[in-house]
Amino acid sequence: MDNSDLINRFRGALLGLAIGDALGTTLEFQPKGSFAPISEMIGGGPFNLKPGYWTDDTSMMYCLAHSLVRRKGFDAEDQMKLYCKWWHDGIFSSTGSCFDIGNTVKQSLTIFERTGEPFSGSTRADSAGNGSLMRLAPIPLFFHDDFSKAVHYGGQSSKTTHGAIEAVDACRYMSALIWGALNGVSKHDLLDGVYEAEEGYWSKHSLCESISKMIKSGEFKNKSADEIRASGYVMHSLEAALWAFYHSDSYKEGALMAVNLGEDADTTGAIYGQLAGAYYGEYKLPFEWVRKLKDYHVFYLKAEELKQVV
């Protein structure tokens, strides 16, 4: 893959995540079927945001990306320090303050501030939320030349705030998919069974049963929108994102399918958006949505930094 195509996909992944987040915030917390579907980025929602303003998904993604760049590698402690700066001081927030933070994230950051332990995510099964999956994109971007590291550190990036096995393995597998999309793998190959860039990788580094079953069965391919949930549970989020990616032929079509599921719409949009953005690239994102995105230029800059850091 030439350099121009790769940076196009880097930009697509970061912008795609942020756009999905900003698009979905309008419908956040609304039950599926209780609203008129949206077709444009209009803002509003529970936080009454201006069109193009993002939520915690993008703020935490930017914290993660900034840490990878400034530390020139994976540094869990530095990531947690930046998450805390966002929480307390509003850095990398679209509004300048932290107006939305998940309970699992807040609990983990509280533990980190008290103990200094960066891997503070609860391992309880009932804590398998989507708060680590929503911010994941910078990991496979930074490790775009090493599949094994991309998958490994995808999981490690979850453990800082979400240590439940389903959350960790959802991040590991999504990191693999984004890695493949960055490297030009076709949608068919990404979604046809369990994708792996290294033969036998998952037999050596197995996924938990629930994630493995979902991917191997491919049941999401045959489900209707009525059968897809978009709650804060990571298994629902992963399935919803893959469903929207599979059933669409463009970033815009899939993004609208994802967010119009309602419930945790901004996060479903962000999770879909990072994968679809890496796959389609920045050139194929709706320009009117890119232009409307708050401070959209910072995502171009961070994509360049992530690619160039050594």
Side-chain angles (χ1 to χ4, degrees), residues 64-73 142 302 305-306 309:
L64 178 56
H66 190 60
S67 177
L68 288 164
V69 170
R70 77 175 186 177
R71 299 299 299 165
K72 297 184 177 181
F142 186 84
K302 196 56 66 178
E305 291 177 346
L306 282 165
V309 70

Side-chain angles (χ1 to χ4, degrees), residues 281-298:
E282 178 256 335
Y283 298 152
K284 293 185 178 180
L285 299 181
F287 179 66
E288 66 274 18
W289 288 355
V290 174
R291 183 175 58 185
K292 193 174 285 188
L293 190 65
K294 167 71 172 174
D295 294 335
Y296 65 87
H297 64 282
V298 302

Side-chain angles (χ1 to χ4, degrees), residues 48-68:
N48 196 29
L49 297 177
K50 296 178 182 178
Y53 278 51
W54 66 79
T55 72
D56 56 330
D57 309 56
T58 303
S59 295
M60 295 193 78
M61 175 271 279
Y62 207 89
C63 288
L64 178 56
H66 190 60
S67 177
L68 288 164

Side-chain angles (χ1 to χ4, degrees), residues 137-166:
I139 295 292
L141 268 62
F142 186 84
F143 296 106
H144 71 277
D145 59 352
D146 191 321
F147 176 79
S148 182
K149 286 185 178 179
V151 174
H152 171 71
Y153 286 112
Q156 293 298 103
S157 74
S158 180
K159 291 179 180 179
T160 54
T161 59
H162 292 71
I165 188 62
E166 287 183 330

